[in-house]
Amino acid sequence: MSNVTASSHTVRTAPLRGGFWLVALGAALWGVDPLFRILLLKSLTSSQIVLLEHVVLFLAAAPVLWRRRAELKGIRLRHAAALIFVSWGGSAVATILFTKALSSGDINAVVLLQKLQPLFAIGLAALLLKERLPRYFGPLVLLALLGTYLLTFGWSMPFGQAASFIGIGGIMALGAAALWGGSTVMGRYLLGTMKYETVTSLRFVLALPFLFVLTSMEGAPWQLHGGLGSSAAVAVNLLLQALLPGLLSMLLYYKGLSTTKASFATLAELSFPMTSLVLNWIVYRQLVTLPQVLGFAMIWTALFFISSQQSESLEAASQPNS
């Protein structure tokens, strides 16, 4: 990827903070996914749900790609590799690895290892995009990760034995975290030469044939239980899931990422577990504990100051002598 470094400097200077918060908003919408998925899982498998969701997203993305077809002529081999990484690796393979990790190891240890995703993204952004981190970024990252820990586990230890981290489940969880972190970096790279609508559309379109293969290999029967009313409810939930935590979230995410460093964006994604906490409290009436409130406050504090750091970093980069 010879042009990776150059693409990292094409960040537009306005809006500065707005892009960071668009990434946070897009990631926050991922947290509403369970509201729709719970009903769908009563009738369909996870692979079937994701496949049907991408069929809906393909119908929305195809007209965009047709209008942007001139832009597709500029795609080179390195761009194609990044697109495959984002659409297959980040969307499909990472999800499969994480799901299998949950069923083959210590669940809490797997979840904790997945939280290391920002570290992978920050490291890859520095290596591939040559992103430089501002002062005090390290302590803010630690504050955000500690807040995420409290939000997820509270005061408790998340694992029983150190062996939980070196088993096959831990390895797969780390693989998922690396793929998700890498997808953030590859998405930022692609946005150096493509518009965010094009990247979003290509992510959905390229994932569809891969999902067809995965669903076929699964071999689960297609069946809907209940009458017309049940089928209509499934259709409505599928449509809402595709359009809200699917299409809208990714449009916001990639639009924000186009003006945000990958290393900053991966921390903005921590808005996702906070949304889940709020929804569990409002919708499912789950009690919110003191450690969760503290973790919530720590993440928001980190996001606020990281947003300020992002603004200062981009302002400095936009100066003629920078």
Side-chain angles (χ1 to χ4, degrees), residues 67-275:
R67 289 195 299 269
R68 305 278 187 185
R69 60 189 183 277
E71 194 174 342
L72 302 181
K73 297 177 182 178
I75 294 179
R76 299 292 181 263
L77 182 60
R78 58 182 180 273
H79 302 128
L83 284 166
I84 293 298
F85 190 101
V86 168
S87 60
W88 292 17
S91 293
V93 176
T95 304
I96 293 171
L97 285 175
F98 187 67
T99 302
K100 288 185 176 294
L102 291 174
S103 62
S104 62
D106 185 313
I107 293 178
N108 286 333
V110 168
V111 172
L112 179 61
L113 288 169
Q114 186 273 322
K115 302 301 181 186
L116 298 179
Q117 174 186 336
L119 300 183
F120 285 103
I122 292 169
L124 288 171
L127 179 65
L128 298 179
L129 303 182
K130 309 302 180 185
E131 290 186 359
R132 297 176 60 185
L133 303 180
R135 291 182 303 168
Y136 311 121
F137 187 79
L140 289 172
V141 171
L142 293 177
L143 180 65
L145 291 176
L146 180 58
T148 305
Y149 178 95
L150 291 176
L151 200 66
T152 308
F153 303 109
W155 304 125
S156 63
M157 294 292 290
F159 57 92
Q161 303 178 15
S164 302
F165 287 91
I166 58 177
I168 186 64
I171 294 174
M172 288 190 290
L174 285 174
L179 286 171
W180 279 325
S183 291
T184 299
V185 176
M186 290 297 101
R188 183 65 196 88
Y189 167 64
L190 289 168
L191 289 166
T193 54
M194 295 185 227
K195 295 185 180 297
Y196 73 93
E197 301 96 332
T198 307
V199 175
T200 304
S201 299
L202 285 171
R203 176 186 176 117
F204 296 142
V205 170
L206 292 176
L208 188 57
F210 190 52
L211 288 167
F212 267 117
V213 174
L214 291 179
T215 306
S216 299
M217 292 175 60
E218 183 183 51
W222 291 82
Q223 54 186 359
L224 291 176
H225 303 289
L228 182 60
S230 176
S231 299
V234 169
V236 170
N237 275 266
L238 181 65
L239 183 63
L240 289 175
Q241 178 176 307
L243 295 181
L244 291 178
L247 180 61
L248 179 59
S249 68
M250 294 312 300
L251 283 172
L252 291 171
Y253 178 85
Y254 280 123
K255 181 175 176 59
L257 189 59
S258 66
T259 59
T260 306
K261 287 185 175 182
S263 51
F264 290 84
T266 190
L267 296 176
E269 295 172 22
L270 294 178
S271 59
F272 167 50
M274 293 192 296
T275 304

Side-chain angles (χ1 to χ4, degrees), residues 12-28:
R12 293 184 291 275
T13 58
L16 295 175
R17 295 191 186 186
F20 179 88
W21 291 111
L22 281 176
V23 172
L25 179 58

